[in-house]
Amino acid sequence: MQTIRRTAPRPDPRPQEVEEIPLGMRRAAAWSWRVLIVVALGALILWALGHVMALVVPFLVAILLAALLSPVVGLLTRHTFLGRGMASAIALIGLIVVVVGMSTLVGQQLVAQFASIQRQAVVGFEQLTGWATATLRLDLPTIQAAQNELLTRLQANSDALVQGALSGVETVGTAITGVLICLFTLFFLLKDGASIWHWVLGLLPAPARVPTHEAFRRGWKALSAYCRTQILVATINGTGIGIGTAAIGLGSYAIPVFLIVFLFSFIPLIGAVVSGVIAALLVLVLQGWVMALVMVAIVIGVHFIEADILHPFMMGHAVRLHPLGVFLGVALGAETAGIAGALFAIPLAAFLNATLLQLAGRDPSPELGEDTSTASMLAARARELAAHRLRASRAARLAGRAEEALRQVRAARTGSHRA
């Protein structure tokens, strides 16, 4: 008959003062210190990134541009005789040509109208002086004294102005360096992006490689959708203000205004303000303050429709985020890292949302399926690595046995010599 042995319960090693604390409080404390460590690690990472922002921002911009241009490179690679490197170079050159061409077109049209703008500015200043003299009862000596006082203050603060100019030159140099870093990084992301990502996957444990790759594919798809939607939003923004410029009788300036607004729409927060101020000042110089107020109303209306209706709706649909999440993401990014934070908040949120949904088992893009070729490649690499480790282990064992046999032979020879 089988006997059942009963083991006495082991005494609880926790001291009495710990036992007196409720279980919920102990669990909350255990979670709290772990959360504090994670938050401290995140703050340390943000602090470190803040000291290399001149390198981080161009790199992140290059990633966004790579997400936008990758379909173009893939199209050229599949349907032409071009290799990956040449297709990447053509896409990069095309991007540079488009940006430089748009900037040149704006500059040429503004330069062509510069004489008219200058004449209107002189007339506007004379009208403003006449209005101030007639309405505010200001005489010419008073106005001249105010101008002299302004010049005196400018001369007194000339050192600060020079330092500001030097700081501006330094900022321009930093911007040029950032553009070069961005273009250099963008080329290699387009050319060798897949191999770089496979190298990153190789650093992970073998069971985590395929799930991480599938999650990354979903995040990259959401990031590409964000870039395309941002271009569409900028086009709508520029078109609206350009049509408003033509509607108030400045049709020849509609294209420059459209391009200015389009380019500045990619700069969060201050981009819309700066482009709107440029458009309003242009109308103020050419058609007076009444039409300038009309232009301000047009700019505010277009930006209101774009920022509060179209942008959250279109971005939310493209990146599968609620419009409230889009709004709060931009606000949090701006509060945390200023303009750069506002610029990268939504693409980062889109990427993380799609990635985490995939890791949680809720595929946000089931139409992508599974990348069997990459999974097979990773499995083959894992087998090769396992075989290499097995061969190395066998070689190490054989070397150990040979060394042990050699020691035994030496010991036997030493014993025979002593005998």
Side-chain angles (χ1 to χ4, degrees), residues 226 321 326 328-334 339-351:
Y226 163 81
L321 290 174
V326 174
L328 294 179
V330 172
L332 180 61
I339 297 176
L343 175 63
F344 300 112
I346 301 307
L348 179 61
F351 181 83

mmCIF file of all heavy atoms in Angstrom, residues 226 321 326 328-334 339-351:
data_model
loop_
_atom_site.group_PDB
_atom_site.id
_atom_site.type_symbol
_atom_site.label_atom_id
_atom_site.label_comp_id
_atom_site.label_asym_id
_atom_site.label_seq_id
_atom_site.Cartn_x
_atom_site.Cartn_y
_atom_site.Cartn_z
ATOM 1 N N TYR A 226 1.794 58.086 -42.832
ATOM 2 C CA TYR A 226 1.880 59.412 -42.228
ATOM 3 C C TYR A 226 2.561 60.401 -43.174
ATOM 4 O O TYR A 226 2.088 61.537 -43.345
ATOM 5 C CB TYR A 226 2.644 59.339 -40.908
ATOM 6 C CG TYR A 226 3.119 60.692 -40.429
ATOM 7 C CD1 TYR A 226 2.250 61.546 -39.768
ATOM 8 C CD2 TYR A 226 4.424 61.124 -40.681
ATOM 9 C CE1 TYR A 226 2.672 62.804 -39.354
ATOM 10 C CE2 TYR A 226 4.845 62.370 -40.271
ATOM 11 C CZ TYR A 226 3.973 63.209 -39.608
ATOM 12 O OH TYR A 226 4.392 64.443 -39.210
ATOM 13 N N LEU A 321 -4.956 56.356 -35.447
ATOM 14 C CA LEU A 321 -4.996 56.969 -34.133
ATOM 15 C C LEU A 321 -6.235 57.858 -34.045
ATOM 16 O O LEU A 321 -6.646 58.468 -35.039
ATOM 17 C CB LEU A 321 -3.748 57.825 -33.881
ATOM 18 C CG LEU A 321 -2.421 57.093 -33.702
ATOM 19 C CD1 LEU A 321 -1.289 58.104 -33.614
ATOM 20 C CD2 LEU A 321 -2.439 56.224 -32.451
ATOM 21 N N VAL A 326 -4.021 62.273 -31.738
ATOM 22 C CA VAL A 326 -3.150 63.080 -32.596
ATOM 23 C C VAL A 326 -2.915 64.449 -31.967
ATOM 24 O O VAL A 326 -1.778 64.941 -31.882
ATOM 25 C CB VAL A 326 -3.757 63.219 -34.007
ATOM 26 C CG1 VAL A 326 -2.938 64.170 -34.856
ATOM 27 C CG2 VAL A 326 -3.854 61.857 -34.672
ATOM 28 N N LEU A 328 -3.276 65.405 -28.743
ATOM 29 C CA LEU A 328 -2.506 65.312 -27.502
ATOM 30 C C LEU A 328 -1.061 64.919 -27.778
ATOM 31 O O LEU A 328 -0.151 65.338 -27.050
ATOM 32 C CB LEU A 328 -3.162 64.300 -26.561
ATOM 33 C CG LEU A 328 -4.540 64.686 -26.025
ATOM 34 C CD1 LEU A 328 -5.085 63.583 -25.128
ATOM 35 C CD2 LEU A 328 -4.466 66.004 -25.259
ATOM 36 N N GLY A 329 -0.821 64.107 -28.822
ATOM 37 C CA GLY A 329 0.546 63.732 -29.166
ATOM 38 C C GLY A 329 1.371 64.929 -29.593
ATOM 39 O O GLY A 329 2.525 65.091 -29.168
ATOM 40 N N VAL A 330 0.780 65.795 -30.426
ATOM 41 C CA VAL A 330 1.494 67.000 -30.858
ATOM 42 C C VAL A 330 1.754 67.916 -29.661
ATOM 43 O O VAL A 330 2.854 68.473 -29.506
ATOM 44 C CB VAL A 330 0.694 67.731 -31.950
ATOM 45 C CG1 VAL A 330 1.325 69.079 -32.273
ATOM 46 C CG2 VAL A 330 0.619 66.875 -33.199
ATOM 47 N N ALA A 331 0.740 68.068 -28.790
ATOM 48 C CA ALA A 331 0.918 68.939 -27.621
ATOM 49 C C ALA A 331 1.994 68.396 -26.688
ATOM 50 O O ALA A 331 2.840 69.146 -26.185
ATOM 51 C CB ALA A 331 -0.414 69.077 -26.878
ATOM 52 N N LEU A 332 1.984 67.087 -26.450
ATOM 53 C CA LEU A 332 2.993 66.489 -25.571
ATOM 54 C C LEU A 332 4.385 66.591 -26.183
ATOM 55 O O LEU A 332 5.361 66.891 -25.480
ATOM 56 C CB LEU A 332 2.642 65.025 -25.302
ATOM 57 C CG LEU A 332 3.603 64.250 -24.402
ATOM 58 C CD1 LEU A 332 3.664 64.892 -23.019
ATOM 59 C CD2 LEU A 332 3.178 62.789 -24.290
ATOM 60 N N GLY A 333 4.501 66.333 -27.480
ATOM 61 C CA GLY A 333 5.801 66.446 -28.128
ATOM 62 C C GLY A 333 6.342 67.864 -28.084
ATOM 63 O O GLY A 333 7.535 68.074 -27.824
ATOM 64 N N ALA A 334 5.472 68.858 -28.315
ATOM 65 C CA ALA A 334 5.913 70.252 -28.259
ATOM 66 C C ALA A 334 6.320 70.645 -26.856
ATOM 67 O O ALA A 334 7.293 71.386 -26.667
ATOM 68 C CB ALA A 334 4.790 71.164 -28.770
ATOM 69 N N ILE A 339 9.876 72.273 -31.024
ATOM 70 C CA ILE A 339 9.467 72.081 -32.412
ATOM 71 C C ILE A 339 9.806 70.675 -32.892
ATOM 72 O O ILE A 339 9.015 70.025 -33.580
ATOM 73 C CB ILE A 339 10.135 73.138 -33.308
ATOM 74 C CG1 ILE A 339 9.661 74.533 -32.913
ATOM 75 C CG2 ILE A 339 9.827 72.881 -34.769
ATOM 76 C CD1 ILE A 339 10.325 75.652 -33.681
ATOM 77 N N ALA A 340 10.989 70.179 -32.518
ATOM 78 C CA ALA A 340 11.371 68.825 -32.924
ATOM 79 C C ALA A 340 10.414 67.797 -32.345
ATOM 80 O O ALA A 340 10.035 66.830 -33.014
ATOM 81 C CB ALA A 340 12.806 68.534 -32.487
ATOM 82 N N GLY A 341 10.005 67.982 -31.092
ATOM 83 C CA GLY A 341 9.053 67.051 -30.496
ATOM 84 C C GLY A 341 7.712 67.063 -31.193
ATOM 85 O O GLY A 341 7.097 66.016 -31.409
ATOM 86 N N ALA A 342 7.237 68.261 -31.568
ATOM 87 C CA ALA A 342 5.971 68.337 -32.298
ATOM 88 C C ALA A 342 6.080 67.707 -33.679
ATOM 89 O O ALA A 342 5.115 67.128 -34.188
ATOM 90 C CB ALA A 342 5.531 69.795 -32.416
ATOM 91 N N LEU A 343 7.257 67.824 -34.311
ATOM 92 C CA LEU A 343 7.445 67.269 -35.648
ATOM 93 C C LEU A 343 7.431 65.747 -35.635
ATOM 94 O O LEU A 343 6.841 65.115 -36.519
ATOM 95 C CB LEU A 343 8.770 67.777 -36.230
ATOM 96 C CG LEU A 343 9.189 67.205 -37.583
ATOM 97 C CD1 LEU A 343 8.180 67.588 -38.656
ATOM 98 C CD2 LEU A 343 10.579 67.694 -37.970
ATOM 99 N N PHE A 344 8.049 65.142 -34.626
ATOM 100 C CA PHE A 344 8.203 63.682 -34.614
ATOM 101 C C PHE A 344 7.219 62.972 -33.689
ATOM 102 O O PHE A 344 7.270 61.748 -33.585
ATOM 103 C CB PHE A 344 9.633 63.320 -34.200
ATOM 104 C CG PHE A 344 10.687 63.853 -35.102
ATOM 105 C CD1 PHE A 344 11.571 64.835 -34.679
ATOM 106 C CD2 PHE A 344 10.785 63.404 -36.405
ATOM 107 C CE1 PHE A 344 12.541 65.341 -35.512
ATOM 108 C CE2 PHE A 344 11.752 63.908 -37.263
ATOM 109 C CZ PHE A 344 12.629 64.874 -36.816
ATOM 110 N N ALA A 345 6.333 63.713 -33.033
ATOM 111 C CA ALA A 345 5.414 63.077 -32.084
ATOM 112 C C ALA A 345 4.449 62.129 -32.794
ATOM 113 O O ALA A 345 4.292 60.967 -32.385
ATOM 114 C CB ALA A 345 4.648 64.146 -31.305
ATOM 115 N N ILE A 346 3.806 62.602 -33.859
ATOM 116 C CA ILE A 346 2.796 61.783 -34.522
ATOM 117 C C ILE A 346 3.418 60.608 -35.276
ATOM 118 O O ILE A 346 2.909 59.480 -35.181
ATOM 119 C CB ILE A 346 1.933 62.651 -35.458
ATOM 120 C CG1 ILE A 346 1.261 63.757 -34.650
ATOM 121 C CG2 ILE A 346 0.875 61.797 -36.141
ATOM 122 C CD1 ILE A 346 0.482 63.254 -33.451
ATOM 123 N N PRO A 347 4.501 60.780 -36.060
ATOM 124 C CA PRO A 347 5.098 59.583 -36.674
ATOM 125 C C PRO A 347 5.579 58.564 -35.657
ATOM 126 O O PRO A 347 5.438 57.367 -35.872
ATOM 127 C CB PRO A 347 6.259 60.141 -37.504
ATOM 128 C CG PRO A 347 6.480 61.522 -37.026
ATOM 129 C CD PRO A 347 5.161 62.008 -36.532
ATOM 130 N N LEU A 348 6.122 59.034 -34.530
ATOM 131 C CA LEU A 348 6.548 58.090 -33.491
ATOM 132 C C LEU A 348 5.350 57.374 -32.890
ATOM 133 O O LEU A 348 5.384 56.149 -32.675
ATOM 134 C CB LEU A 348 7.324 58.841 -32.402
ATOM 135 C CG LEU A 348 7.816 57.996 -31.225
ATOM 136 C CD1 LEU A 348 8.775 56.920 -31.708
ATOM 137 C CD2 LEU A 348 8.469 58.867 -30.167
ATOM 138 N N ALA A 349 4.269 58.124 -32.630
ATOM 139 C CA ALA A 349 3.061 57.491 -32.085
ATOM 140 C C ALA A 349 2.473 56.494 -33.075
ATOM 141 O O ALA A 349 2.009 55.417 -32.687
ATOM 142 C CB ALA A 349 2.033 58.572 -31.736
ATOM 143 N N ALA A 350 2.486 56.843 -34.374
ATOM 144 C CA ALA A 350 1.957 55.919 -35.382
ATOM 145 C C ALA A 350 2.785 54.643 -35.441
ATOM 146 O O ALA A 350 2.241 53.530 -35.500
ATOM 147 C CB ALA A 350 1.947 56.605 -36.743
ATOM 148 N N PHE A 351 4.093 54.799 -35.420
ATOM 149 C CA PHE A 351 4.970 53.630 -35.477
ATOM 150 C C PHE A 351 4.783 52.741 -34.245
ATOM 151 O O PHE A 351 4.643 51.514 -34.357
ATOM 152 C CB PHE A 351 6.420 54.095 -35.590
ATOM 153 C CG PHE A 351 7.412 52.971 -35.689
ATOM 154 C CD1 PHE A 351 7.673 52.367 -36.901
ATOM 155 C CD2 PHE A 351 8.074 52.515 -34.559
ATOM 156 C CE1 PHE A 351 8.579 51.324 -36.995
ATOM 157 C CE2 PHE A 351 8.977 51.475 -34.637
ATOM 158 C CZ PHE A 351 9.237 50.874 -35.854
#
